[in-house]
Amino acid sequence: MTKAIQAMDTLVYDSVKIAAYLADPRYNYNSQADFGNDNLIDYFFHWLDRLIRDFALLGDSRGGQWFLALFFVAVVLATVFFIYRKRPELFFRAKTMPLPVEITEENIYGVNFETELAKALDAGDYRSAVRILYLQTLRLAADREWIDWQIYKTPTEYVYELKPAALRTAFRELTKRFLQVRYGNFKATAKLYESMRRLQDSLRESGY
């Protein structure tokens, strides 16, 4: 009986072949599947290591080299597109960047307009005087509830919003002069400032 069992036992342990298999990374299945005790960072590095190995194998063939080249081009284009969406000004010269048509003005409260106007006029700074006078007019319109002043609104919005409608012509003319100086590079002069002051006086004395 013992001789029969020995004759049937054909399994032979070859230590040389077993050592070769253990040294071959292709047969190291644990490194590819057993991440139960690793944290997320370890898993990421295992994944990155496998990816690099796969790319290295692909690079050995001509088709693989083309694939790698296209892959890296796609990564570069995706990165450039992402940056463009977040910071488009980086891709243009400053002189080609379009300027906004209208820019929201700052807070009209907490400002002593008469004092600021006096300073600007004493200095002959009519550009600043025009701006201060316009903001003062916005404060007047807001206090009398002709407009609903908000920090994000533009001058043109206030023109269409202003009530009563009978005052819109004067307010439109005053706003137009302000926009010409503020954003249209028109020269602010004493004459232009005085014309805006008269328009403001007509609004102030309107009785509404």
Side-chain angles (χ1 to χ4, degrees):
M1 182 67 177
T2 303
K3 292 181 178 180
I5 293 175
Q6 291 178 346
M8 294 176 60
D9 188 4
T10 59
L11 180 62
V12 178
Y13 182 83
D14 190 331
S15 60
V16 176
K17 288 185 178 181
I18 295 299
Y21 289 142
L22 291 176
D24 193 334
R26 293 178 299 174
Y27 297 99
N28 188 5
Y29 300 113
N30 289 333
S31 66
Q32 301 180 24
D34 185 13
F35 302 122
N37 296 325
D38 292 340
N39 57 31
L40 187 60
I41 296 177
D42 292 332
Y43 180 82
F44 170 76
F45 282 111
H46 281 301
W47 171 83
L48 184 61
D49 179 68
R50 293 200 308 273
L51 184 64
I52 293 173
R53 290 174 182 271
D54 291 341
F55 277 166
L57 292 174
L58 281 174
D60 293 337
S61 65
R62 186 172 182 82
Q65 292 174 352
W66 276 105
F67 173 81
L68 289 178
L70 292 175
F71 174 80
F72 285 113
V73 168
V75 170
V76 171
L77 291 177
T79 302
V80 171
F81 178 74
F82 177 80
I83 297 174
Y84 173 77
R85 291 293 301 271
K86 295 295 184 181
R87 298 289 301 278
E89 68 274 10
L90 297 177
F91 295 83
F92 299 93
R93 295 181 180 178
K95 65 180 182 180
T96 63
M97 288 294 291
L99 294 174
V101 177
E102 295 176 347
I103 303 174
T104 303
E105 292 301 315
E106 62 270 31
N107 202 328
I108 61 173
Y109 295 97
V111 180
N112 189 326
F113 289 108
E114 292 301 332
T115 299
E116 296 302 319
L117 269 175
K119 291 180 181 178
L121 293 174
D122 288 344
D125 185 1
Y126 289 103
R127 182 177 179 82
S128 294
V130 163
R131 173 176 164 274
I132 295 168
L133 181 68
Y134 171 75
L135 296 178
Q136 185 183 42
T137 306
L138 285 185
R139 174 64 183 272
L140 169 68
D143 288 345
R144 295 192 181 183
E145 299 182 347
W146 296 344
I147 61 171
D148 176 26
W149 181 86
Q150 297 293 337
I151 190 69
Y152 57 83
K153 288 185 178 179
T154 63
T156 301
E157 287 182 88
Y158 292 123
V159 172
Y160 292 106
E161 177 184 326
L162 188 77
K163 294 179 181 179
L167 301 178
R168 287 180 186 169
T169 300
F171 186 74
R172 182 183 292 107
E173 287 300 313
L174 187 146
T175 301
K176 182 176 72 173
R177 287 165 172 74
F178 163 73
L179 291 175
Q180 287 174 337
V181 171
R182 182 73 166 159
Y183 309 123
N185 293 322
F186 276 56
K187 184 178 180 179
T189 62
K191 181 178 180 180
L192 186 143
Y193 170 79
E194 288 301 327
S195 69
M196 291 181 65
R197 170 65 81 177
R198 288 193 296 271
L199 289 168
Q200 187 194 66
D201 288 342
S202 69
L203 293 170
R204 191 187 303 276
E205 298 167 3
S206 62
Y208 289 99

